[in-house]
Amino acid sequence: LVKMDLNTSYGSARSAEILQRSGSPMDGGSPPTMPHQWERNTRSLVDSARKAQSLSTQQRVMSFGTQRTTDEIMLNDNRLSSSALEKNIKEAEALKTRAERQLEAILKETVMLEEETSRTEAIHEKMKDPLQVAEENLIIRSKRPTREQTRDAVERSLNEQIAGAKHSIRMLGGVLDACDKELAKLKVCREKLEEDIDQKRIALEVDNEALRMESGWAANIQSKRAPSASLPHMWRQRTENLCEECERTRATCERLRAKSKAIQEEALNVERETREAVLRNFARKMEETDRLKSELESSIANVSNEIVTMEDARASVEQSMNDKHGPLALAKSRLSFRTSKPGNEIVRDAAERSLEKEIGDLEHSIRRLQLEMARQTADIHRLEQTRARLESDLKDKMDALALEQECEALQMDLSTRMK
């Protein structure tokens, strides 16, 4: 094409030069022309016209070829541009659809995680009741009498209940912290997705509008457009990376929800098992205390009966001793009175010996009866001391039993609240 344009330019310039040299018939200042020169000039003009016509024909053919070529290039470029726009629109719509699905999944996961967080928080608060009740039970049981303050199965089970409640509270607190962090990540993912979807919506509107354009505008305006800094693979990768990040976050949230449910179930099971163990031990303790209380009451009744019997026996011995004082005085009086006989009549006869023996036997009997009374008095005093100790122990058992019943009532009320 460049070569043809040069030939055309050269031919046009040559024709102009010939015309200038031949001059015009109207010019009065040119010399007369010879016949042979006149004919040669005409022939030169004809040849120049033929050459110019040939060059013009060639130029016309070349112009038509250039027109067809440029039209084909224009149509091909238009088809390629439209195809590229359609492809970009489809790809953008696919990425936008994926981002929208991911956003929907993120919103759904956010709702489920918020619900799980609410349940975890409710159980976290609920676990404070067993801890409070168990600690209150220990405080109440510390008020028992000294002899009743033993490290029994009830105290061990209460300590286990406290330890289980504290462990559950710690675990549930950790779950709540993790839920807060994951909810914050979900919020960031949601905001990024919404921004990406909004940008792709605007970009799709622009590309669709560009695809629907049939005529240009401001074609003569030469504006410098800054080149795009983002490459296609970077553009796609940005959305894909965002979706993958959201999927990882959702997977973490799903694992967290499953772990939260497991911890909640474990916490409730531990609380129920420790509470049931406490109630069993309370029932066993109260049964044992009630049995001992019955034994004490029976022992007190037996001791009291024995004291009454001993007092009756002592009264009988005392009466027997008192009954012997009259015969002793009589025997002494008889023996003393017999000494008033004349000297020759005072003999150690059988009567005197019998009186002396009677006096000795009576005095010995009285001493023995006094000894028995002393022993019976000591036995009665010992029985009274035993009864006092039994009554004191019985009072302690009753006080301890009342405190155990109060603790059991708190545990039963807790069982009602934990259902």
Side-chain angles (χ1 to χ4, degrees):
L1 292 175
V2 174
K3 184 176 180 181
M4 292 176 66
D5 290 339
L6 291 175
N7 291 334
T8 303
S9 300
Y10 175 76
S12 300
R14 182 64 177 169
S15 299
E17 183 181 357
I18 292 172
L19 290 173
Q20 288 177 0
R21 288 180 181 179
S22 63
S24 174
M26 299 302 295
D27 293 339
S30 59
T33 303
M34 300 299 292
H36 66 279
Q37 187 176 8
W38 168 76
E39 184 179 359
R40 188 169 57 250
N41 290 337
T42 300
R43 291 184 180 278
S44 296
L45 289 173
V46 172
D47 291 339
S48 297
R50 289 175 179 172
K51 289 180 180 180
Q53 183 181 1
S54 176
L55 290 174
S56 176
T57 302
Q58 293 178 1
Q59 180 64 42
R60 186 175 63 255
V61 173
M62 291 176 63
S63 297
F64 288 152
T66 301
Q67 180 181 352
R68 286 193 302 270
T69 302
T70 55
D71 289 343
E72 290 175 357
I73 292 173
M74 178 189 68
L75 293 174
N76 188 41
D77 289 342
N78 183 266
R79 283 194 301 272
L80 290 175
S81 298
S82 298
S83 177
L85 279 171
E86 292 173 353
K87 181 180 179 181
N88 189 70
I89 288 171
K90 290 180 179 179
E91 188 172 4
E93 287 178 345
L95 290 174
K96 178 173 172 288
T97 302
R98 181 180 177 185
E100 288 173 343
R101 287 198 299 266
Q102 195 64 239
L103 177 60
E104 183 180 358
I106 286 292
L107 293 174
K108 184 178 179 181
E109 182 63 36
T110 301
V111 172
M112 291 190 294
L113 187 57
E114 287 176 348
E115 292 176 351
E116 188 66 29
T117 302
S118 299
R119 286 192 294 269
T120 303
E121 188 174 1
I123 295 179
H124 181 268
E125 292 298 321
K126 201 174 184 180
M127 284 295 107
K128 295 179 181 179
D129 286 346
L131 177 61
Q132 181 180 0
V133 169
E135 290 177 345
E136 188 175 355
N137 281 172
L138 288 177
I139 293 173
I140 292 173
R141 296 187 88 239
S142 66
K143 299 176 183 178
R144 293 175 299 167
T146 304
R147 79 177 81 191
E148 298 297 323
Q149 292 186 7
T150 58
R151 185 170 175 77
D152 51 10
V154 175
E155 184 174 349
R156 290 193 296 270
S157 60
L158 285 172
N159 288 329
E160 291 176 359
Q161 188 178 25
I162 291 173
K166 287 183 177 179
H167 177 71
S168 298
I169 289 173
R170 285 195 301 270
M171 295 297 293
L172 292 170
V175 170
L176 287 175
D177 292 339
C179 287
D180 291 339
K181 292 180 181 178
E182 293 305 318
L183 284 173
K185 291 181 181 179
L186 286 174
K187 181 180 179 182
V188 172
C189 290
R190 185 182 72 247
E191 292 174 351
K192 289 182 179 179
L193 285 171
E194 288 174 348
E195 181 182 3
D196 188 67
I197 291 171
D198 188 60
Q199 290 179 353
K200 281 185 171 45
R201 179 184 58 77
I202 296 173
L204 283 170
E205 291 176 358
V206 172
D207 285 344
N208 282 314
E209 185 67 24
L211 184 62
R212 289 192 296 268
M213 290 175 65
E214 296 180 356
S215 60
W217 43 270
N220 296 326
I221 298 176
Q222 299 294 329
S223 60
K224 291 184 179 181
R225 185 178 60 86
S228 301
S230 178
L231 298 177
H233 72 278
M234 297 171 61
W235 169 72
R236 287 189 299 271
Q237 193 67 36
R238 183 168 55 250
T239 301
E240 291 174 355
N241 288 341
L242 177 58
C243 292
E244 290 175 359
E245 179 185 356
C246 293
E247 289 176 356
R248 288 194 298 269
T249 303
R250 285 196 302 109
T252 302
C253 292
E254 290 177 1
R255 291 193 298 271
L256 178 60
R257 286 191 290 108
K259 182 178 179 180
S260 175
K261 291 179 181 177
I263 291 176
Q264 291 176 28
E265 184 177 357
E266 180 184 2
L268 292 174
N269 289 335
V270 169
E271 190 282 327
R272 185 180 63 256
E273 291 173 359
T274 54
R275 174 165 40 82
E276 290 175 351
V278 168
L279 288 172
R280 284 195 304 270
N281 290 324
F282 266 127
R284 190 178 300 114
K285 180 70 173 181
M286 287 188 294
E287 182 181 355
E288 294 174 356
T289 304
D290 191 65
R291 178 177 55 80
L292 292 175
K293 182 173 77 70
S294 299
E295 292 180 2
L296 286 170
E297 289 174 345
S298 177
S299 296
I300 290 172
N302 293 332
V303 170
S304 297
N305 292 333
E306 184 65 24
I307 289 174
V308 172
T309 303
M310 288 296 294
E311 288 177 347
D312 292 340
R314 185 180 62 177
S316 177
V317 170
E318 185 178 6
Q319 183 64 39
S320 177
M321 184 182 63
N322 291 332
D323 291 342
K324 289 177 175 57
H325 283 297
L328 177 61
L330 178 59
K332 286 182 177 182
S333 297
R334 285 177 176 178
L335 184 61
S336 176
F337 185 74
R338 290 186 80 239
T339 58
S340 62
K341 292 189 300 179
N344 293 329
E345 295 297 324
I346 298 175
V347 294
R348 185 172 177 78
D349 52 8
E352 185 176 351
R353 288 193 299 272
S354 296
L355 288 171
E356 289 177 351
K357 182 178 180 303
E358 182 183 3
I359 292 171
D361 290 341
L362 288 171
E363 288 179 346
H364 180 68
S365 297
I366 289 172
R367 285 194 299 270
R368 287 182 61 187
L369 290 172
Q370 288 176 343
L371 180 61
E372 288 299 323
M373 282 186 61
R375 289 175 179 174
Q376 288 177 339
T377 300
D379 288 341
I380 291 172
H381 181 67
R382 185 168 54 253
L383 288 172
E384 288 176 347
Q385 289 180 340
T386 301
R387 184 175 63 181
R389 288 194 298 269
L390 290 172
E391 290 174 348
S392 176
D393 192 38
L394 177 62
K395 182 179 181 302
D396 291 345
K397 290 287 188 296
M398 294 178 67
D399 292 342
L401 185 61
L403 294 174
E404 301 290 5
Q405 291 173 346
E406 182 180 355
C407 293
E408 186 187 32
L410 291 175
Q411 290 289 339
M412 295 298 293
D413 182 63
L414 174 64
S415 298
T416 303
R417 296 200 306 270
M418 294 302 292
K419 289 182 180 179

